[in-house]
Amino acid sequence: MSDSAGDCTEPRRAITEAEVEALVRGICFKTGPPGTVGVEVEWLVHEPHRPWSPVAPERLAAAYAALRTVPLGSALTVEPGGQLELSSPPAASLTEAVTVVSADLAAVRAALRGHGLALLGIGQDPWRPPRRYLHSPRYDAMETCLDRTGPAGRDMMCASASVQVCLDAGHEEPGPLGMGRRWWLAHQLGAVLVAAFANSPLAGRRPTGWRSTRQLTWTRIGPGRAGAPALDGDPRTAWARHVLDAPVMCVRQEGGPWEVPEGLTFREWTRSGGPRPPTREDLAYHLTTLFPPVRPRGHLELRMIDAQPGDDGWIVPLAVTTALFDDPEGAETAYRAVKPLAERSLSLPAPHNPLWRDAARDGLSDPELREVAELCFAAAQEALPRLGAGREVTDAVAAFADRYVARGRCPADDLLDRLHRTDLSPVTGAHGKDIPA
């Protein structure tokens, strides 16, 4: 969501279909030994004692202006609905990533407190309808494009928040840390991560029937914009084909609103050359308008995890995911654990298949997903010390496993329990912090 290719540039040489395929294959999967990790954490911004009340745009603007003066190690961006996102720099270890982002979040929270505001970790706003805070040609065009498939696009843009884990693509060679294995694992384990960390069961203060309404929202945007390619071939070839066949969101213009074509794929754009010939800059921009659950950007960006409760709830999905990908023993255990789940996908791309649907709707109340989650969390707990994780991280993962995974629950179940007891009183998050229900 915070991706940007900048403003429209001067037209350059037109790019051909063959060049698109070669460029995508070359830039989206950069292989090598896994060595870096990153995380992008998104948050809703609210008044601590009146979280259901919209925050006036003027108050947000003043708070965000103050935040821009705060020195941070991570990149700070604002999402279309006023959500905040911190994107860590590539870190040499899990511990380094946790240290940098924890310090940045403490600084951000302190600055927001001075404006009477706070961060809320939840996958989708449970009270307020989507309302756009940012107005720019990019987001105007995005809204126009996504409105064609219904209201889900506005919910995604303005009312959702996530934890996105970024990992290296892996070795060129096969094996537990090989690129092909990691690509496949990300799409199968992704359903388990959806279920274990589901944290968005409400909309308009009422249960939606889904543990992760945020994941349902992404599904409703459609496979061309928010779906994965098929997993039955080489990842580079499959992704390049997907990029070419995905619909163009907009054609950027020098002045005035950007054109929003209907039904024009990037492949067709390269062949027709209209409304103007596409350039390499247009391809770079097009890549930022695709939102699959796993997005290759040189590294792998896992986008399926709901924002988590508590000040440090985001650490658990980051730690678990890193352990199951970057530790060879953890990766092998995760691969074997999720392999039986693949049958439930019916060979359909994520998230538009039965496995991902069940994960988003049922969370870990699904017996098979719960069993696999227990195996994966146990493997992650064994792997984390081998990755150099400290006591704070391993204890947080163990506490989450005891509170949720071992009981077939996810954070969404806490919110549903609180809703049944009382309307809008606080509920304690996974790490002992109060968040509104």
Side-chain angles (χ1 to χ4, degrees), residues 187-227:
H187 290 87
Q188 306 301 342
L189 180 63
V192 181
L193 298 176
V194 168
F197 297 110
N199 187 38
S200 51
L202 308 174
R205 307 191 187 199
R206 296 184 178 183
T208 63
W210 296 73
R211 279 0 187 255
S212 178
T213 304
R214 173 184 166 274
Q215 187 58 54
L216 172 65
T217 295
W218 283 106
T219 303
R220 286 175 170 170
I221 291 171
R225 183 72 54 203

Side-chain angles (χ1 to χ4, degrees), residues 15-17 20 241 243-248 261-278 286:
I15 193 171
T16 67
E17 184 178 334
V20 169
R241 185 185 305 123
V243 168
L244 278 163
D245 292 333
V248 173
E262 189 163 6
L264 176 70
T265 67
F266 206 91
R267 189 188 303 276
E268 291 165 344
W269 193 10
T270 62
R271 292 176 177 179
S272 68
R276 62 165 174 78
H286 177 61

Side-chain angles (χ1 to χ4, degrees), residues 36-124:
T36 58
V37 60
V39 65
E40 301 174 18
V41 286
E42 296 175 337
W43 305 84
L44 303 182
V45 178
H46 69 108
E47 294 185 43
H49 303 295
R50 289 162 41 90
W52 53 87
S53 298
V55 180
E58 297 78 15
R59 286 187 65 194
L60 287 177
Y64 295 166
L67 277 176
R68 293 187 187 98
T69 68
V70 177
L72 301 172
S74 305
L76 178 72
T77 52
V78 180
E79 297 296 300
Q83 312 98 306
L84 284 182
E85 178 181 282
L86 278 176
S87 301
S88 74
S93 68
L94 171 64
T95 299
E96 181 183 321
V98 170
T99 299
V100 170
V101 177
S102 295
D104 288 343
L105 280 169
V108 168
R109 289 192 175 95
L112 288 177
R113 277 197 298 271
H115 293 265
L117 299 173
L119 299 177
L120 173 62
I122 194 168
Q124 189 152 314

Side-chain angles (χ1 to χ4, degrees), residues 403-426:
R403 176 167 181 164
Y404 296 115
V405 180
R407 303 179 185 183
R409 291 173 61 86
C410 58
D413 292 308
D414 286 349
L415 296 174
L416 292 170
D417 287 350
R418 174 57 64 181
L419 184 72
H420 294 150
R421 289 198 296 267
T422 183
D423 187 17
L424 289 169
S425 59

